[in-house]
Structure formats: C-alpha cells, structure tokens
Amino acid sequence: MTASDDQSKLGVFVASYAAANAGATIAFVPLLVFILPLKAEEIAPDSKLLLLSFALLAGAITASLANIAAGWASDRLFERRGSRIVQIAVSLIALLMSYYFFASASSWTALIVAIVFFQLSLNFLFSPLGALIADKAPHHVKGRIAALLNMGLPIGTFAVAILTRPLFETNDQRLLAIAITIVILIVPLLLLARAQPNLSYAEPQDLALARTEDSPGNDLAWAWVARFCIQVSGAVIFGYLIYYLQDVVRYEVRFPDSSAEQALGIMTFGAAPVAILTALLIGHFSDRLRMRRAFLIGAACAISIALLSMVLWPVWSVALVACIAFIAGLTAFLTIDIAVVTQLLTGSKSRAKTLGVMNLTNTVPAIIAPSLAIILSSNELSQSELIPLMQISSGLAVIAAFSASRIRSIR
C-alpha cells in the first residue's frame, strides 16, 4: 500500500469521524439548550426554572457516572476486538429511543426519567467516539482533526437556529428532525472506521513538540482543571440562555413582535460560522506553529470577557456580540484542549477510561450549574441572581488560563 493510499484512507476516516462527531453534538445541543427548556415550561409553566434545573441535575449526575462506565466498557471491548464500533452502534439505537421517551413525557417524573435515559445513551455513544482520535489519529494532524471535531459545537448551535424556524412548530417535529440527522451523520463512520488502522501502543517519536521531564500525569491534571473551569461557564450559558433572554434581557418586552426562541436562533445563526472559522484557524495554526498553550490561554481570556459583558450590559446588542464571542472562544479552547489531551494519552492502554475521567469536566460542571440555580431558585431569573453566577464563571475562565499555562510537556 502506498503513502497516498494511506493518506486517502486517513482522509476518508477523518471526514466520517468529523461528521459523526457533529451528529453526536447535534444529538444534545438543541435538546438541552432549546427543546428541554420549552418542554419544562410546557409541563410546569409556573416553576419552569426549578423543573429545568432538576432535570439538568439528574441528567448531569447520570452522565458523570455513565461516562466513566462507558469508557471502561469501551476499553474492554477494544482490547478484545480492536474496535469500538459495536458500542457506538448500540448506543445510537438507544439514543433514538430516548427521543421517543422525551417526546412522550408529560410530568416532572417522566421528563426526568427521559433525560436520565437520554444521558445514558449519549455518554455510551460519546465515550468510544471520543477515544477514536487517540486510537487512530497521528500526532501531526491532531490539531486539525480536533478543529474538525470541534466544529460540532458551532454546528450544534446552528442546528438550534434551524430548529427555531417556523418549519418546525412543535418539539416532536424538532426531535424527529434531529433523529434523522444523527442517523445520516453517524452511520457512515460505522461502515468506514475499520479501514483506518489503529496506532501502535508505543508512542511514536514526535519531533514537532518539545517534551520535558515533567510527568504527563501532572499535565493531564492541569488540563483537567482548565477544561473543568471552562465547562462550568458553558453549562451556565447553554443551560439558561433562553431564560436569560426572556427574563434578564427581556427581549420579548423590548421587541413585542418577536420571541426569545427567535432571538436564540439569531444568536446561534451568527455564532456558528464565526466559531467554525475560529476552530479551523486555531487547529491549523496550533499545528503549524507547534504551540498550543498560548491559544488555550487566549481562548480562556476571551470567554471571561464575554461573560462579564453579558452581566454588565444585559441589553440585546451586547448579549448578541458577547454570545458569539463566547461560543467562538469555547470552540477554540476545546479544539486545542482535545489535541493536547489525546496527545498526552497516546501510548496508554486505558485511553477511553482516562478520557472518561477527563470528561467529568463536561458532566460535573453540568451538575454545578443547575445546583447553583436551585439554590438561587425563583421562577424568574433576575440580574441580581445572575451576576454572582456569571462572575464566578468569568473568574473560573481566568483560572483555566492559568492552569493551561502550567502544562509543560506540550508547548
């Protein structure tokens, strides 16, 4: 087999992998950002915030446990079969079933149970999917692949914009559209991934990156802290953005002929192309310049500034620009973070399990954000309640920048 054949196979794998990751992101972003809050409002209009917070909390606790269990199961399957595809396929079927349970929910209990099953399915899908970059992607393309993977976030936000259009009038229609989309995007990977060989467990010599004598374990710990702090910010914004527009910006009061859902669509429609371009440029230049820490630090600082802007000036024009900057910064940070973490994990036989521990940085913040909202609980968010929550998130972004600066074995 020639080098060009290998590159062609890698290209096909990367394309199908990026599409599947986008599908997995579309599976949860519109549901958690947009559909779940509307469902909570439909079931309990007088206590929508409390129901949403309990649903998010139950889902996040489930996700925290499921992600580690899914990583362990994925590693065992990989040891026996050299592949994680079976787990991805079974989890996809379960995920489609969870949409039916969600659509059928008509009470507090039913909605919370539906979200728990959804999170189980989603995390058993995401865990083996995330491990594929460590299994199969050479170091010299990790930054660019990570950029393509993190296009999933802006694509997920773009899906929110599409689903707010009049074409989709009900949550059932939106869930059906999501289900069809994720099948189209994920199934090709199930058919094509075997053609891309697994990397050797022995870490290849990487001349492009400088290493020191610092323990990779220490670097993983700093990377964990950095991602955790950033993801708390993401959990706050994505969990309550539509209520922020309704009750803090008071978009519907200022623009009586429009709705908060339409405002959310405008935000996400504007954020998607900016975030996609940011991810591509960040991934390319982090590979080309052979440095990643500076990009992590810069992205964390951008997130901090965007959050403070949303709190200090809760008006539509500022909120729009700040939200776009926040999503672009978050996408940039996660793009480089994935490249850093998977590079540190090359050579480990417990890649998926370690990624499961790393992914607690996704799920634990999702526990913290609704817990704080429950503590501050009221049926209507106010600026006075959001100020400390978002200021804390902004401060955590600064801590993330510091933590990223402590990663020593990768420039």
Side-chain angles (χ1 to χ4, degrees):
M1 183 176 295
T2 65
S4 61
D5 290 334
D6 290 340
Q7 288 300 313
S8 177
K9 280 190 175 183
L10 178 61
V12 170
F13 165 72
V14 168
S16 64
Y17 188 27
N21 187 76
T25 307
I26 290 170
F28 77 90
V29 170
L31 189 143
L32 297 182
V33 172
F34 168 48
I35 298 174
L36 177 59
L38 292 181
K39 188 73 170 179
E41 188 173 20
E42 175 189 319
I43 293 173
D46 295 331
S47 52
K48 62 181 184 182
L49 175 62
L50 206 56
L51 174 55
L52 174 63
S53 297
F54 276 115
L56 290 172
L57 182 59
I61 292 171
T62 301
S64 298
L65 300 174
N67 204 278
I68 294 176
W72 178 86
S74 181
D75 285 334
R76 301 291 78 74
L77 186 66
F78 187 79
E79 284 181 1
R80 291 198 301 268
R81 299 192 175 188
S83 173
R84 306 182 195 269
I85 298 303
V86 171
Q87 183 174 333
I88 295 173
V90 172
S91 301
L92 174 60
I93 294 171
L95 185 62
L96 297 175
M97 292 173 59
S98 75
Y99 291 140
Y100 173 78
F101 298 143
F102 182 88
S104 303
S106 59
S107 66
W108 281 55
T109 301
L111 182 63
I112 291 171
V113 169
I115 287 299
V116 166
F117 184 68
F118 166 78
Q119 288 285 12
L120 277 171
S121 307
L122 179 69
N123 282 275
F124 268 82
L125 172 70
F126 249 120
S127 180
L129 192 62
L132 288 182
I133 187 173
D135 292 342
K136 296 177 179 289
H139 281 346
H140 68 279
V141 296
K142 273 186 166 63
R144 279 162 282 182
I145 293 177
L148 290 173
L149 296 184
N150 274 288
M151 285 173 61
L153 179 60
I155 288 171
T157 60
F158 184 75
V160 173
I162 297 298
L163 293 171
T164 58
R165 308 310 300 166
L167 177 64
F168 303 99
E169 296 180 351
T170 68
N171 276 342
D172 290 354
Q173 291 174 343
R174 294 165 185 140
L175 289 169
L176 179 60
I178 292 171
I180 293 171
T181 301
I182 64 175
V183 168
I184 292 171
L185 291 176
I186 295 176
V187 167
L189 178 68
L190 305 180
L191 304 175
L192 297 171
R194 291 183 183 277
Q196 177 63 23
N198 296 322
L199 297 179
S200 169
Y201 280 124
E203 182 175 0
Q205 181 68 25
D206 186 3
L207 299 178
L209 296 167
R211 287 202 174 260
T212 71
E213 294 181 357
D214 288 350
S215 167
N218 291 337
D219 284 345
L220 281 171
W222 284 115
W224 193 98
V225 172
R227 189 195 291 182
F228 170 82
C229 292
I230 290 299
Q231 293 287 39
V232 171
S233 304
V236 168
I237 294 301
F238 287 121
Y240 298 99
L241 182 57
I242 193 166
Y243 292 170
Y244 171 83
L245 292 171
Q246 288 176 342
D247 302 323
V248 179
V249 175
R250 297 190 178 278
Y251 181 86
E252 293 168 343
V253 174
R254 299 182 184 188
F255 304 96
D257 295 332
S258 189
S259 67
E261 294 98 302
Q262 290 172 316
L264 184 63
I266 294 170
M267 276 184 162
T268 52
F269 185 82
V274 175
I276 289 172
L277 181 60
T278 300
L280 291 173
L281 290 175
I282 288 290
H284 171 76
F285 282 108
S286 73
D287 284 341
R288 186 181 181 89
L289 300 177
R290 303 175 182 176
M291 54 188 296
R292 307 198 195 273
R293 281 181 297 177
F295 290 109
L296 284 178
I297 294 167
C301 291
I303 289 169
S304 179
I305 293 169
L307 283 168
L308 281 179
S309 299
M310 293 178 73
V311 170
L312 296 175
W313 299 285
V315 296
W316 167 240
S317 58
V318 175
L320 175 62
V321 174
C323 182
I324 291 173
F326 175 85
I327 293 175
L330 181 63
T331 303
F333 185 94
L334 295 178
T335 294
I336 305 304
D337 182 77
I338 287 178
V340 168
V341 170
T342 55
Q343 187 168 320
L344 290 171
L345 286 177
T346 302
S348 169
K349 293 187 177 182
S350 57
R351 300 168 189 172
K353 185 174 72 175
T354 304
L355 284 172
V357 174
M358 288 298 301
N359 282 335
L360 288 175
T361 59
N362 303 332
T363 55
V364 174
I367 294 172
I368 292 173
S371 298
L372 288 173
I374 291 170
I375 292 170
L376 298 170
S377 63
S378 69
N379 291 333
E380 183 176 339
L381 290 176
S382 70
Q383 184 177 356
S384 63
E385 290 167 341
L386 277 177
I387 284 175
L389 185 59
M390 298 181 77
Q391 282 180 334
I392 289 170
S393 298
S394 179
L396 287 172
V398 175
I399 294 174
F402 170 77
S403 300
S405 73
R406 302 297 299 169
I407 297 173
R408 298 302 188 190
S409 61
I410 293 178
R411 290 186 299 184

